[in-house]
């Protein structure tokens, strides 16, 4: 079964055509700078392809181009659109209306309108992506929506409620939603496989660490807590995002500097985290270099992120009443042996053991077990695969 996976951002549309039976990626690519000028990259599974500047006025135009590249010319991988069995869409925010992936119908799209403003930069383009698919491929090709928030919908109220008047939860649904749910779900399922157990028999902390980062507690296959909050701004220090703060820091800076809510939101999302603390870069590799050269603010930024992750591993183990495995994924989680070593240092009291040699060699897309034989808690690196998870959900829903 061939599933087209679509991930539409505010000015981009990424895609992968996946053969879901054998996980093969037949083609993938990205339309960038939609609504600005437009750039289109397309690659076949064996690495051939092209990159070109092309006018991309909107998501519909981008989607038409994707279909053209998949079906015609030198780098086509299918003969016609009839080979696309279904389309799976990544949706950033489903509020508390969507607890699972769903098959798209007119009704579902109407319901989605009720949560569209939870992710004003991401949900509207995702909807455009769905509309473009339905127009171009016709309603006979089913579409499925896979929500980044859905996996976290099993959190109990004690984990999702914020300490503000309850009426804001009732009126505006202000609560913790989390993000990266598809990734946390994928790596926790894979982790259970590696442990040789059913998901119901496991207690796992999953660390998705990239430009955006979040940590989840997955007890018996269900998310019971996660670090991101109402939006993906919450949680640990990230590339450009502040993560959790004493809320009065926000009002204090706004008053001192005369900053509007919109500008403050921008400051917390784009000018904080690694870039804000270090003043050097939002990229962990740049900070690695700077820290090695002895630049103090770079070291503080990295140490702070690692310390926050370590604290959450402890907190989530306490929340679940135990820990079977700790999983690292995402660009930093899969590649930074220094971060993994720092997080796992002095954690023997929890049953975490750590093999430095395995840690060094498990990078660049490799899966591996970093713990010592006999260690009570396994420490895994599991490269995430959100697109495959989306394709799998799509297959399940369309039968
Ligand atoms: P992602 O958002 O998952 O693509 O991850 C991007 C982050 O991963 C950036 O901060 C990169 O610097 C980081 N990253 C990628 N490769 C490495 C590496 N070899 N060592 C440390 N960080 C890395």
């Amino acid at each position: 079964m061939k599933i087209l996976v679509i991930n539409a951002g505010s000015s981009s549309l990424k895609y992968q055509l996946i053969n879901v039976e054998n996980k093969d990626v037949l083609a993938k690519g990205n339309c960038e700078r939609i609504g600005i000028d437009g750039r289109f990259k397309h690659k076949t599974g064996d690495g051939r392809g092209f990159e070109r500047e092309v006018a991309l006025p909107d998501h519909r135009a981008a989607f038409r181009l994707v279909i053209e590249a998949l079906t015609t010319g030198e780098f086509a991988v299918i003969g016609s659109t009839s080979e696309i069995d279904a389309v799976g869409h990544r949706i950033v925010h489903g509020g508390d209306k969507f607890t699972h992936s769903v098959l798209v119908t007119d009704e579902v799209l109407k319901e989605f309108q009720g949560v569209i403003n939870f992710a004003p930069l991401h949900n509207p383009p995702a909807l455009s992506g769905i509309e473009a698919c339905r127009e171009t491929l016709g309603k006979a090709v089913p579409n499925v929506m896979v929500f980044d928030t859905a996996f976290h919908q099993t959190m109990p109220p004690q984990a999702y409620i914020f300490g503000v008047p309850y009426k804001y939860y009732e009126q505006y649904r202000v609560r913790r939603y989390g993000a990266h749910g598809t990734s946390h779900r994928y790596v926790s399922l894979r982790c259970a496989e590696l442990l040789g157990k059913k998901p119901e028999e496991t207690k796992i902390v999953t660390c998705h660490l990239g430009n955006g980062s979040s940590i989840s507690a997955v007890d018996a296959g269900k998310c019971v807590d996660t670090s991101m909050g109402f939006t993906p701004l919450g949680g640990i220090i990230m590339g450009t995002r502040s993560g959790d703060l004493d809320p009065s820091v926000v009002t204090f800076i706004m008053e001192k500097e005369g900053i509007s809510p919109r500008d403050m939101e921008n400051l917390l999302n784009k000018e904080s985290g690694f870039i804000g603390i270090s003043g050097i870069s939002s990229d962990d590799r740049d900070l690695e270099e700077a820290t090695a050269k002895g630049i103090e603010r770079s070291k503080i930024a990295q140490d702070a992120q690692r310390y926050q992750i370590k604290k959450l591993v402890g907190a989530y183990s306490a929340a679940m009443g135990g820990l079977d495995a700790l999983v690292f994924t995402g660009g930093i989680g899969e590649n930074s042996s220094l971060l993994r070593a720092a997080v796992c240092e002095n954690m023997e009291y929890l049953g975490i053991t750590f093999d430095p040699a395995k840690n060094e060699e498990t990078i660049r897309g490799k899966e591996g077990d970093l713990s010592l034989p006999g260690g009570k808690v396994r420490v895994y690196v599991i490269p995430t695969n959100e697109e495959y998870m989306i394709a799998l959900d799509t297959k399940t829903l369309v039968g």
Side-chain angles (χ1 to χ4, degrees), residues 2 7 13 63 69 98 125-126 172 187 242 253-254 260 274 285 318:
K2 290 179 188 131
N7 180 356
L13 188 148
F63 188 72
F98 295 97
Y172 308 124
V187 297
S242 64
I253 294 176
M254 286 172 79
S260 69
F274 279 172
R285 280 165 296 197

Side-chain angles (χ1 to χ4, degrees), residues 73-90:
E74 196 184 341
F75 305 108
V77 290
I78 48 175
S80 80
T81 53
S82 63
E83 288 183 50
I84 300 174
D85 295 295
V87 187
H89 298 264
R90 176 186 180 216

Side-chain angles (χ1 to χ4, degrees), residues 271-282 287 295 297-298 301:
E271 297 168 26
S272 298
F274 279 172
I275 183 76
I277 298 171
S278 72
I280 294 173
S281 172
S282 62
L287 295 198
I295 297 174
R297 276 169 52 183
S298 171

Side-chain angles (χ1 to χ4, degrees), residues 23 186-199 202 204 367 380 382 388 392:
K23 270 191 172 179
Y186 175 80
V187 297
S188 60
L189 286 171
R190 176 69 190 138
C191 177
E193 260 174 35
L194 292 172
L195 289 168
K197 291 183 173 173
K198 293 190 187 131
T202 60
I204 304 169
E367 183 178 274
Y380 293 115
I382 302 178
Y388 174 67
L392 210 56

Side-chain angles (χ1 to χ4, degrees), residues 65-381:
L65 217 60
V66 170
I67 293 298
E68 200 181 295
L70 290 172
T71 55
T72 60
E74 196 184 341
F75 305 108
V77 290
I78 48 175
S80 80
T81 53
S82 63
E83 288 183 50
I84 300 174
D85 295 295
V87 187
H89 298 264
R90 176 186 180 216
I91 311 289
V92 164
H93 213 309
D96 52 9
K97 276 198 189 328
F98 295 97
T99 56
H100 293 96
S101 301
V102 290
L103 202 57
V104 172
T105 61
D106 292 339
E107 277 298 291
V108 163
L109 291 183
K110 214 181 278 167
E111 207 171 333
F112 183 55
Q113 288 295 346
V115 298
I116 205 155
N117 283 333
F118 279 133
L121 291 182
H122 292 94
N123 277 355
L127 184 60
S128 305
I130 295 170
E131 283 164 351
C133 282
R134 291 176 114 200
E135 258 175 45
T136 313
L137 300 176
K139 284 195 183 175
V141 179
N143 287 272
V144 166
M145 296 163 93
V146 180
F147 300 89
D148 255 9
T149 45
F151 183 59
H152 304 305
Q153 277 298 306
T154 46
M155 280 188 290
Q158 64 183 17
Y160 71 65
I161 204 71
F162 291 129
V164 294
Y166 198 71
K167 64 180 180 186
Y168 299 121
Y169 167 60
E170 290 177 319
Q171 283 174 14
Y172 308 124
R173 315 310 287 168
V174 172
R175 49 159 284 179
R176 181 186 307 281
Y177 291 101
H180 296 138
T182 310
S183 174
H184 288 289
R185 182 156 62 106
Y186 175 80
V187 297
S188 60
L189 286 171
R190 176 69 190 138
C191 177
E193 260 174 35
L194 292 172
L195 289 168
K197 291 183 173 173
K198 293 190 187 131
E200 298 77 41
E201 300 163 349
T202 60
K203 294 179 190 296
I204 304 169
V205 170
T206 49
C207 305
H208 178 111
L209 310 171
N211 275 323
S213 295
S214 63
I215 323 286
S216 292
V218 187
D219 193 358
K222 293 195 163 60
C223 176
V224 292
D225 206 344
T226 194
S227 61
M228 278 181 169
F230 180 53
T231 70
L233 179 55
I236 64 165
I237 284 173
M238 300 171 233
T240 61
R241 290 174 238 167
S242 64
D244 288 350
L245 300 168
D246 172 349
S248 53
V249 169
V250 179
T251 43
F252 181 85
I253 294 176
M254 286 172 79
E255 267 177 28
K256 284 278 179 204
E257 302 270 318
I259 299 177
S260 69
R262 174 111 332 185
D263 288 345
M264 191 64 200
E265 199 183 338
N266 201 48
L267 185 150
L268 294 169
N269 270 295
K270 307 253 172 77
E271 297 168 26
S272 298
F274 279 172
I275 183 76
I277 298 171
S278 72
I280 294 173
S281 172
S282 62
D283 193 298
D284 189 57
R285 280 165 296 197
D286 296 339
L287 295 198
E288 208 100 288
E289 259 184 63
T291 301
K293 285 185 195 145
I295 297 174
E296 187 60 16
R297 276 169 52 183
S298 171
K299 177 168 163 35
I300 294 172
Q302 289 190 302
D303 284 351
Q305 190 195 50
R306 294 166 187 181
Y307 175 65
Q308 291 179 355
I309 298 166
K310 190 195 253 306
K311 279 204 294 191
L312 280 175
V313 174
Y316 287 169
S317 302
M320 294 190 289
L323 184 67
D324 297 313
L326 173 63
V327 179
F328 291 100
T329 194
I332 301 177
E334 290 168 33
N335 291 297
S336 176
S337 53
L338 288 173
L339 174 135
R340 297 185 307 228
V343 170
C344 293
E345 194 183 9
N346 290 331
M347 296 282 259
E348 291 80 9
Y349 77 95
L350 254 186
I352 292 177
T353 59
F354 194 68
D355 182 334
K358 280 196 209 153
N359 183 36
E360 289 306 321
E361 69 203 31
T362 312
I363 52 169
R364 288 196 203 93
K366 277 198 216 149
E367 183 178 274
D369 181 350
L370 311 185
S371 32
L372 296 168
K376 189 168 90 51
V377 176
R378 311 315 298 167
V379 180
Y380 293 115
V381 175

